[in-house]
Structures are given as structure tokens and as C-alpha cells.
Amino acid sequence: MARLILLNKPFGVQSQFSGGAGGDARDTLASFVDVPGVYPAGRLDKDSEGLLLLTDDGRLQSRIAEPRYKLPKTYWAQVEGEPDDAALERLRRGVALKDGTTRPARAERMDPPAIWERVPPVRFRKTVPDRWIALTIAEGRNRQVRRMTAAVGHPTLRLVRWQVGEWTLDGLAPGEWREIAV
């Protein structure tokens, strides 16, 4: 039976078990998950936080991570400025990036989520407002959400992956994980 672990990856942690800065495992998954034989199904960059799925099953890993399966991933992005309807519509239609146009996304404004404080906190600027948006994509290019929001004029300040397919981060604090039956 395949193992599937839902981890709330903290900010500053790499999506790998070894090879931290200078060989230091404190900024890798090894500091949080001591389960032999599981590997990330997909990645979250070091500057992003939230749901990372780990499994010991290659087929499940492929179904989760491979873009051809179009598994939706929902991100909560705190962006600089106040995206207007036109910016959200551009995200919904697909955004032209250097590596091609993205697939259409679901994009909507949202109230600030009731989640943990980030350490270190996002830089606050009194003269520049920020806003949270929920963005659901069905592909996984390198730093895609950050590049999409920047392309529509609203750079991402904080990025939390909340959901992958049917699995959510609900009930997990940063660094916590739980195993679920698949």
C-alpha cells in the first residue's frame, strides 16, 4: 500500500532531504519528516510555504507531479498592490511568460487567510498596499505563480500552497505532517 504524507513545508526549507546550504540538513525536509523511502511529489521553492506531498509510490508521485495529469494546485498569494479586474482576468486567460503562455487559471481576491505568521515576516510598506488572491493552476512551471503575478504587475510577497487535488493543508502548522490512506 502506498504511503502519502501531507507536510506543511515552512518558509526557507528546501523540497529535498539532503544537500542543504553547506550540507546542513536543517533547511531540508529531513528536519521535519523522518520516514524512510518517501520523496516529494512536486516541489515548492525555498521561498514558498505550504502543502508538499511525499510518497513512496512512483506512480502516485507521477500522477501528482506530472503536468499532463493537470492536477489542480491552489495557492494563496499575498501580492503587492491591489489587483483590479483586468489583472485577474489576465491570470484567468493565461499569462505570456518567457517559456510560453500559461494555461488559464482560476484567480480571485480573498480576505487575508487566518494562517500562521511567516518567519521572517513579509516586509511591510506603509505606502504600498497588498492584497491576497487565490490562484488555482493545473501546471507546475518553475516559480510559475510568482512569475504570473509579476507579469500582471503585482509581485508576490508571500506564497502558500493550500491545496493539491483533493488534499489540503487544513489543520497542519508549519513543519507538521500527517499520513493519509490512499
Side-chain angles (χ1 to χ4, degrees):
M1 181 164 180
R3 298 183 88 168
L4 182 63
I5 292 174
L6 283 60
L7 168 69
N8 186 346
K9 186 192 87 63
F11 176 83
V13 173
Q14 297 182 48
S15 294
Q16 59 195 40
F17 280 95
S18 61
D24 188 354
R26 288 180 298 195
D27 66 347
T28 68
L29 301 177
S31 297
F32 303 96
V33 180
D34 186 20
V35 177
V38 297
Y39 300 94
R43 303 183 69 78
L44 272 178
D45 65 48
K46 192 171 181 175
D47 296 333
S48 300
E49 37 192 324
L51 185 60
L52 185 63
L53 302 175
L54 309 166
T55 184
D56 62 354
D57 182 273
R59 275 193 258 181
L60 179 58
Q61 184 179 29
S62 176
R63 187 172 63 88
I64 293 167
E66 289 292 324
R68 70 176 177 253
Y69 294 110
K70 299 181 177 121
L71 194 64
K73 297 165 185 76
T74 299
Y75 295 84
W76 293 347
Q78 183 182 15
V79 298
E80 189 173 280
E82 179 70 41
D84 60 13
D85 292 341
L88 294 175
E89 189 58 30
R90 284 184 61 201
L91 293 169
R92 291 178 188 131
R93 290 181 186 266
V95 177
L97 302 175
K98 287 182 181 177
D99 56 350
T101 302
T102 65
R103 291 184 183 142
R106 276 184 287 178
E108 58 191 46
R109 292 177 201 91
M110 62 182 283
D111 291 331
I115 58 173
W116 59 93
E117 293 293 322
R118 193 184 87 177
V119 178
V122 171
R123 179 181 58 151
F124 174 75
R125 293 171 41 193
K126 196 184 309 186
T127 59
V128 179
D130 62 73
R131 177 69 179 205
W132 283 89
I133 61 172
L135 193 63
T136 301
I137 61 174
E139 56 187 332
R141 300 181 195 189
N142 186 44
R143 298 178 70 86
Q144 180 176 341
V145 170
R146 293 177 185 281
R147 293 189 299 141
M148 288 175 73
T149 63
V152 299
H154 299 281
T156 296
L157 303 171
R158 183 178 182 191
L159 187 61
V160 178
R161 181 160 58 197
W162 181 256
Q163 185 169 355
V164 175
E166 64 190 74
W167 305 291
T168 72
L169 200 56
D170 197 32
L172 289 175
E176 290 184 349
W177 61 272
R178 71 174 166 265
E179 188 167 350
I180 62 169
V182 288

